Amino acid sequence: MSLEQHVIQIHVKPESAALLCEESCFSQLDKLLAARGLGQRQSCTAFPGTGYLLVYTDTASGRHATVHVQTKPPFPVLVINVVQPGDQSQLGYITTKVLEELREEVKVLLKCKPFTTKRLPVISHGTEYSCYFPTVDDRWSEYDFDKLVFEQDTPYQNVKIFHSQQYGNVLVLDDDINLAESDLPYTKAITGNGREDFTGKRVLILGKSVDSRSI
């Protein structure tokens, strides 16, 4: 079974950072998370001068959450990390609507300004294949792959072809995205849009990928 990871970021005003160190605040967080099926607080670890880590588990459902409290100026922040089984038919499955309600309630608890809280898109783990690929500047891109069409190890690289609703078939070499059927208009443009006949000709292509690992 796959796992889903949800992250909520709460940026706190510096003048309200003292709230993050109060046991009454932790007790309120305990109630809010328990009400969402995230179980009871199992531990609270203090990081002297910087913050706290709270751990919650619900053994019956397999859900758990961590709350990382960073109190050090100039940007105090509280990060809630929720992990749950990806089976949406499971009793008590925590929906994005429930997580939005949790975000709003924590924002009120910590007296945050508008637009200082954010719920990040869900990340799935343990699926048949990953839809996440790193970019050359070390960021993540997520694709809407719904099928692994082909996979083979050659003497040179691992070759995969995924199907995407948005891009059509997508070629992936050594886990680097290379090209897709949706690139065809670009290919036609750089080859003359049919004005040149390349039949029987040898073509030299000079240049490199933006991500040199794809060459």
Side-chain angles (χ1 to χ4, degrees):
M1 180 184 296
S2 65
L3 294 175
E4 292 182 354
Q5 180 180 0
H6 304 263
V7 176
I8 299 173
Q9 297 176 342
I10 310 286
H11 292 86
V12 182
K13 294 182 294 185
E15 56 268 30
S16 300
L19 288 171
L20 296 174
C21 302
E22 297 178 1
E23 178 58 35
S24 60
C25 176
F26 294 167
S27 296
Q28 289 296 318
L29 284 172
D30 292 348
K31 294 177 182 178
L32 292 176
L33 270 66
R36 268 53 182 197
L38 290 167
Q40 303 299 312
R41 192 203 312 174
Q42 302 300 317
S43 64
C44 177
T45 303
F47 304 122
T50 61
Y52 299 86
L53 177 67
L54 289 73
V55 178
Y56 300 79
T57 60
D58 183 73
T59 54
S61 65
R63 291 187 288 265
H64 74 268
T66 59
V67 179
H68 196 148
V69 179
Q70 168 65 41
T71 59
K72 191 174 182 180
F75 304 113
V77 64
L78 181 147
V79 179
I80 302 174
N81 185 66
V82 175
V83 177
Q84 67 174 346
D87 182 4
Q88 297 187 15
S89 65
Q90 182 188 45
L91 182 65
Y93 174 83
I94 300 175
T95 64
T96 54
K97 180 177 182 295
V98 170
L99 290 166
E100 278 298 314
E101 293 171 352
L102 174 62
R103 180 179 69 87
E104 287 296 324
E105 291 184 341
V106 175
K107 182 172 73 172
V108 172
L109 172 65
L110 298 177
K111 302 177 182 180
C112 297
K113 295 179 180 179
F115 312 115
T116 57
T117 67
K118 185 178 296 184
R119 181 181 59 80
L120 303 184
V122 62
I123 297 177
S124 296
H125 304 276
T127 53
E128 181 182 357
Y129 45 81
S130 176
C131 293
Y132 308 100
F133 292 84
T135 63
V136 68
D137 53 352
D138 203 27
R139 292 183 293 174
W140 285 105
S141 293
E142 181 179 3
Y143 294 84
D144 62 338
F145 296 152
D146 55 19
K147 182 180 180 181
L148 177 60
V149 179
F150 174 85
E151 180 176 13
Q152 182 175 319
D153 288 313
T154 76
Y156 307 101
Q157 58 207 156
N158 174 263
V159 180
K160 294 187 186 77
I161 299 176
F162 290 99
H163 179 263
S164 159
Q165 293 288 337
Q166 182 176 6
Y167 300 108
N169 287 330
V170 179
L171 175 65
V172 179
L173 301 178
D174 286 341
D175 286 333
D176 281 326
I177 301 291
N178 274 252
L179 55 87
E181 288 181 307
S182 59
D183 295 325
L184 186 58
Y186 171 77
T187 302
K188 288 183 176 179
I190 64 174
T191 56
N193 279 316
R195 292 190 297 270
E196 183 72 29
D197 183 6
F198 294 96
T199 303
K201 296 180 179 178
R202 299 180 65 187
V203 178
L204 172 65
I205 300 176
L206 299 176
K208 69 180 183 69
S209 166
V210 174
D211 184 347
S212 60
R213 294 173 298 175
S214 301
I215 300 175

